Amino acid sequence: MNDRKNVISLFLCYILWGFQPLYWAFLSHLDSYLILACRIVMAAVFSVLILAITHRLSELKALFRNKDVMKFLLPAVLFLLADWAVFIVVVNAGHVLDASLGYYINPLMLFAFSVVIYKERCTKVQLASLGIAVIGVVISTAAFGAFPWISLIIAVNWAIYTALKKNVKIDGVLSIAAETLILTPFAIAFLAIFRHSAMAALGGKEVLLLIGSGIVTALPMFLYSNSVAKFPLIVMCFAQYLSPTFNLICGLIRHESFSPSQIVSFAFFILAIIVFTAGEIKTLRQADSGSKQP
């Protein structure tokens, strides 16, 4: 039962991430760095509020004194900030498909980390899924006609963040509260020094959307942080294909161009997800049947 809940949590995380570009589209007329700074602050407020309501603030204080955790969390924060910054700038510039390719390449990076760094074993079904996905990535990359630097930066950045978070054995709310609190003083300073005029000119709708960005940001991060500690990186890398698939749908909704080669690569990604998911469902059923035997 817990395995099923964890799988649902993981998939819900990527669904929320996948459709985020539609939310940021409502704020696309604003400066991307203003959005980023507000996103950090409001995610911190939302996370700390949840910890306060559940009487867990003492755990947060203890976390900051835990050197074994902080040695991984501090560098992870830098890669998280870079990911958020690049994603918002790229999406608001109307290049959702570029970001999508980056997150399609990312699972290949995670797969390499899982095998080389964490010595995780890969099943035949997972290898088959990977092979199908690689074909999709090659087709997508070839469609660009040039080396996709932005996509590669996104892919490498998130893979390193995930690998670092793999070593942080704490729940999602606690982890994201700590990460966003580390960044909050810098975000507030940036807003006060460089964006105070823009902040004063915000309308009521924009203020509400920026406040809501804390929930939009933190909620999938809670789910992700819980999942990354409980699943092998190999599982995480294939679940990652869900998010850019929904990003592509968002690109279509926002009327970005969608070439025939991208349609073909999209089909390969969907097939990889189906094969991998079928294999994981079979594994879960076998685990369930095994646990029920006396």
Side-chain angles (χ1 to χ4, degrees), residues 7-70:
V7 169
I8 292 171
S9 176
L10 179 63
F11 276 72
L12 180 58
C13 158
Y14 284 113
I15 290 171
L16 291 173
W17 264 336
F19 286 105
Q20 268 193 11
L22 298 180
Y23 188 90
W24 303 126
F26 290 113
L27 294 166
S28 60
H29 61 288
L30 296 180
D31 173 67
S32 296
Y33 296 107
L34 182 149
I35 298 172
L36 174 62
C38 290
R39 181 184 186 185
I40 291 168
V41 174
M42 296 315 303
V45 170
F46 180 62
S47 304
V48 172
L49 183 60
I50 290 179
L51 290 176
I53 293 172
T54 54
H55 306 289
R56 298 182 60 200
L57 289 178
S58 59
E59 294 179 42
L60 183 60
K61 294 178 182 178
L63 174 62
F64 281 114
R65 295 193 294 267
N66 189 329
K67 293 181 180 180
D68 290 334
V69 172
M70 295 306 295

Side-chain angles (χ1 to χ4, degrees), residues 24 67 106 129 148 155 165 202 209 212 225 228 240 252-253:
W24 303 126
K67 293 181 180 180
N106 170 256
S129 301
K165 286 296 291 290
L202 292 174
L209 286 170
S225 292
V228 74
Q240 179 81 36
L252 287 173
I253 293 173

